[in-house]
C-alpha cells in the first residue's frame, strides 16, 4: 500500500525529479492556483503567524523562569523559522516555479536523447533524492508526533505528577508554551489550547518537510547536472580517434558552455531564495541546539522529557546536516567540473578549437555555492562551526546555572 501511494506521486513525463515535491507543495498549501483554495490556505498561514506571536507573548510572561523559558524558546524559534519558510514559498511562488520549470525541462530534454551515461546519472540522483525526501518526511513526522504525544507520556510516567494534577497543585501538561486570553490549565481552555497547539505542530511539520525537501532535492539536481556536464566535457572529442570537424566541435563546446551558464544562473536564483532563510536558521539553530542541551542536563528534567528533548535535538542537527552536506556536495562537484575539459581528447584538435576550449575551461571555473546570508557559506565547515558555537553557548549557560 505504501509503495502504491509513493508511485502515485511520480510524474516521470513532466517532472521526473520533482513529482513528489510538487505534490507535497500543493497538498500543503504552498503551491496555490485557485482563488478559493488560496484564501483557505492563506488563512491557515495567518493562524500560524498568530500562534507564533502568542508564543513570544508567553515567553515574555515567563521570562524569569529559566526552565519554562528554555522550553518555550526551543519551540518558538523553530516556529518562527517555519513561518518564514512558508512566507518564502508563498510570496516567491513564481520564482520557485521558474526553477522547477528549468529543472524539469532540462531533465526531459536530456532523457529524450537516450544517452545511456547521462540517463544513468539522472536516474541515480533521482533515486537518491527519493530516499532523502522520504527519510526526511519520516523524520519530520516522527518529530511532530513526539512533540504532540510528549505531554501524554510525561503524564503517565509519574504517579506523583498525576496526583498533583488531580489535587490541583499542578496544571495539565501542555504541548507547546503559548499565550491565550483565558485559563488554559483546566477544562475548556485547556482543550482549546491543545487543539490550537496540535494544529500548529502539524502545520510546522508540513512547512518544514516541504521547504527543506524541496531545497535539498534541487541541490541534488545541481550536483547531478554538474556530473552530467563533466561527462559531456570529457566526451567533447570522443576518444581522440573520432573525426570531429570544426563546426561540430564548436557546437559541443557551446552546448557545454550554455549548460553551465544556466546552472550558474538558476543556482544564483535558488541561493537568493534560500540565503536569507538559512541565515536566520543558522542563528536560531545554534540557540535551539544550545537550549536543548541545557534542558537535557537540568536536574529537574524528567526521563520522558529527556527522551523528547533528545529526539528534538537529533531532528535539529539532522536538518542542519542535510543542508550543509548537500550544499557542500554542489560546491565540491562545481570545483571539479573544469578538470573534465582537460581529460578530453583536446590534443586531437587544432589551435582554434584549443583556444575555445580554454575559454570553456575559464567559464567552468565559476563555482556554484550556497550561502547562509552574506557572512558564511553553507558547507560542512559551517556545520562543524555551528556545533562548536552551540557547545560554547551551552558551557556558558551551564556555568551560570551552577
Amino acid at each position: 500500500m505504501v509503495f502504491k501511494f509513493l508511485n502515485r506521486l511520480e510524474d516521470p513525463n513532466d517532472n521526473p525529479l520533482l513529482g513528489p515535491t510538487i505534490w507535497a507543495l500543493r497538498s500543503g498549501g504552498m503551491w496555490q492556483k485557485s482563488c478559493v483554495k488560496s484564501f483557505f490556505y492563506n488563512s491557515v498561514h495567518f493562524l500560524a503567524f498568530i500562534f507564533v506571536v502568542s508564543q513570544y507573548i508567553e515567553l515574555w510572561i515567563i521570562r524569569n523562569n529559566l526552565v519554562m523559558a528554555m522550553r518555550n524558546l526551543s519551540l518558538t524559534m523553530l516556529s518562527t523559522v517555519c513561518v518564514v519558510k512558508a512566507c518564502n514559498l508563498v510570496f516567491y511562488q513564481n520564482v520557485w516555479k521558474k526553477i522547477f520549470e528549468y529543472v524539469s525541462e532540462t531533465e526531459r530534454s536530456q532523457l529524450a536523447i537516450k544517452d545511456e551515461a547521462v540517463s544513468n546519472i539522472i536516474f541515480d540522483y533521482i533515486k537518491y533524492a527519493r530516499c532523502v525526501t522520504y527519510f526526511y518526511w519520516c523524520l519530520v513526522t516522527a518529530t511532530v508526533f513526539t512533540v504532540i504525544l510528549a505531554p501524554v507520556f510525561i503524564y503517565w510516567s509519574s504517579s506523583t505528577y498525576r496526583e498533583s494534577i488531580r489535587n490541583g497543585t499542578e496544571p495539565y501538561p501542555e504541548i507547546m508554551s503559548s499565550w491565550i486570553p483565558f485559563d488554559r490549565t483546566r477544562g475548556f481552555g485547556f482543550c482549546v489550547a491543545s487543539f490550537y497547539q496540535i494544529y500548529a505542530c502539524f502545520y510546522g511539520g508540513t512547512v518544514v518537510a516541504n521547504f527543506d525537501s524541496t531545497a535539498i532535492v534541487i541541490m541534488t539536481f545541481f550536483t547531478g547536472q554538474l556530473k552530467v556536464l563533466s561527462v559531456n566535457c570529457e566526451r567533447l572529442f570522443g576518444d581522440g580517434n573520432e573525426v570531429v570537424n570544426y563546426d561540430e566541435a564548436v557546437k559541443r563546446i557551446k552546448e557545454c558552455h550554455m549548460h553551465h551558464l544556466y546552472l550558474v544562473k538558476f543556482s544564483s536564483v535558488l541561493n537568493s531564495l534560500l540565503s536569507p532563510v538559512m541565515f536566520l536558521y543558522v542563528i536560531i539553530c545554534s540557540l535551539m541546539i544550545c537550549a536543548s542541551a541545557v534542558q537535557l542536563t537540568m536536574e529537574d528534567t524528567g526521563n520522558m522529557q529527556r527522551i523528547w528533548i533528545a529526539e528534538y535535538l537529533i531532528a535539529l542537527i539532522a536538518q542542519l546536516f542535510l543542508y550543509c552536506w548537500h550544499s557542500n556536495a554542489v560546491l565540491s562537484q562545481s570545483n571539479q567540473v573544469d578538470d573534465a575539459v582537460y581529460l578530453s581528447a583536446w590534443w586531437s584538435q587544432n589551435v582554434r578549437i584549443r583556444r575555445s576550449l580554454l575559454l570553456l575551461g575559464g567559464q567552468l571555473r565559476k563555482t556554484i555555492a550556497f550561502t547562509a546570508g552574506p557572512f558564511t557559506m553553507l558547507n560542512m565547515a559551517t556545520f562543524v562551526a555551528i556545533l562548536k558555537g552551540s557547545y560554547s553557548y551551552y558551557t556558558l549557560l551551564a556555568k551560570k546555572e551552577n
Side-chain angles (χ1 to χ4, degrees):
M1 181 179 291
V2 174
F3 290 108
K4 282 186 178 180
F5 171 73
L6 295 179
N7 287 331
R8 290 177 58 186
L9 306 184
E10 299 292 342
D11 188 10
N13 295 325
D14 295 328
N15 302 289
L17 174 66
L18 298 172
T21 302
I22 293 176
W23 174 87
L25 289 171
R26 286 174 178 168
S27 302
M30 314 296 169
W31 205 258
Q32 302 175 6
K33 289 185 176 182
S34 65
C35 295
V36 176
K37 287 185 177 181
S38 296
F39 176 78
F40 170 75
Y41 285 131
N42 290 333
S43 299
V44 172
H45 298 321
F46 180 73
L47 286 175
F49 172 77
I50 296 298
F51 179 80
V52 174
V53 172
S54 72
Q55 286 182 298
Y56 279 104
I57 295 173
E58 179 68 13
L59 179 61
W60 175 258
I61 294 172
I62 62 174
R63 63 188 183 278
N64 294 323
N65 187 323
L66 180 60
V67 176
M68 295 178 65
M70 282 296 219
R71 187 174 186 275
N72 177 290
L73 186 64
S74 297
L75 294 174
T76 300
M77 293 294 99
L78 186 58
S79 300
T80 303
V81 176
C82 289
V83 170
V84 171
K85 288 179 177 179
C87 291
N88 184 284
L89 286 170
V90 174
F91 292 155
Y92 298 103
Q93 184 177 158
N94 292 331
V95 182
W96 282 101
K97 285 183 177 180
K98 288 181 181 179
I99 297 175
F100 280 25
E101 289 171 1
Y102 165 71
V103 169
S104 297
E105 184 180 348
T106 300
E107 291 173 341
R108 288 197 303 266
S109 61
Q110 290 172 343
L111 291 173
I113 299 174
K114 300 187 182 303
D115 185 316
E116 184 177 357
V118 172
S119 297
N120 287 338
I121 293 174
I122 293 175
F123 291 138
D124 284 344
Y125 75 68
I126 288 177
K127 182 179 179 180
Y128 173 79
R130 293 291 183 273
C131 293
V132 173
T133 299
Y134 297 147
F135 163 77
Y136 191 70
W137 286 359
C138 291
L139 178 64
V140 173
T141 302
T143 304
V144 169
F145 278 102
T146 300
V147 172
I148 291 174
L149 297 177
V152 178
F153 292 132
I154 292 171
Y155 177 81
W156 287 109
S157 64
S158 174
S159 58
T160 304
Y161 184 56
R162 290 198 299 272
E163 183 61 31
S164 299
I165 291 175
R166 291 191 188 100
N167 60 34
T169 57
E170 290 284 351
Y172 285 113
E174 58 183 0
I175 299 171
M176 297 165 64
S177 178
S178 62
W179 176 84
I180 55 175
F182 44 83
D183 183 18
R184 68 175 189 274
T185 61
R186 289 288 189 278
F188 176 75
F190 175 77
C191 293
V192 172
S194 296
F195 280 118
Y196 196 16
Q197 291 166 7
I198 290 172
Y199 149 77
C201 287
F202 280 115
Y203 172 85
T206 302
V207 171
V208 169
N210 281 334
F211 186 92
D212 293 349
S213 62
T214 299
I216 291 168
V217 164
I218 297 178
M219 286 181 182
T220 303
F221 164 81
F222 283 112
T223 304
Q225 286 299 313
L226 287 169
K227 291 180 181 177
V228 170
L229 180 59
S230 295
V231 169
N232 289 335
C233 287
E234 288 184 22
R235 301 184 305 179
L236 277 171
F237 314 112
D239 57 1
N241 297 319
E242 179 183 350
V243 178
V244 181
N245 59 41
Y246 178 80
D247 291 337
E248 179 63 22
V250 170
K251 178 185 175 184
R252 293 181 183 181
I253 292 173
K254 183 178 179 181
E255 288 175 351
C256 291
H257 171 79
M258 295 303 297
H259 189 183
H260 188 262
L261 198 65
Y262 277 110
L263 288 175
V264 172
K265 174 184 175 181
F266 282 95
S267 66
S268 297
V269 174
L270 178 63
N271 188 54
S272 67
L273 294 171
L274 291 181
S275 185
V277 178
M278 293 311 302
F279 177 62
L280 176 65
Y281 182 71
V282 163
I283 295 174
I284 289 178
C285 193
S286 301
L287 298 175
M288 289 190 296
I289 292 174
C290 170
S292 299
V294 170
Q295 291 178 77
L296 274 175
T297 56
M298 285 182 173
E299 293 181 358
D300 53 351
T301 302
N303 292 330
M304 291 306 302
Q305 286 178 307
R306 284 193 173 91
I307 294 173
W308 171 81
I309 294 169
E311 201 280 336
Y312 178 74
L313 185 60
I314 291 171
L316 283 179
I317 295 174
Q319 186 179 17
L320 181 63
F321 174 79
L322 285 173
Y323 270 107
C324 292
W325 177 269
H326 290 91
S327 178
N328 193 81
V330 176
L331 178 62
S332 177
Q333 190 64 41
S334 177
N335 288 330
Q336 297 174 21
V337 70
D338 63 307
D339 294 341
V341 172
Y342 307 106
L343 294 175
S344 66
W346 57 268
W347 41 266
S348 65
Q349 302 302 305
N350 58 39
V351 175
R352 294 177 66 189
I353 295 299
R354 293 180 188 179
R355 289 173 180 168
S356 299
L357 205 61
L358 284 174
L359 293 175
L360 175 62
Q363 164 67 27
L364 297 183
R365 288 181 64 85
K366 293 182 179 179
T367 58
I368 297 176
F370 297 101
T371 60
F375 303 110
T376 183
M377 294 181 66
L378 201 60
N379 53 27
M380 291 306 296
T382 301
F383 174 74
V384 174
I386 291 171
L387 294 184
K388 287 182 178 179
S390 299
Y391 179 75
S392 299
Y393 301 148
Y394 161 72
T395 54
L396 287 174
L397 286 174
K399 287 180 181 180
K400 184 178 179 181
E401 182 67 16
N402 293 332

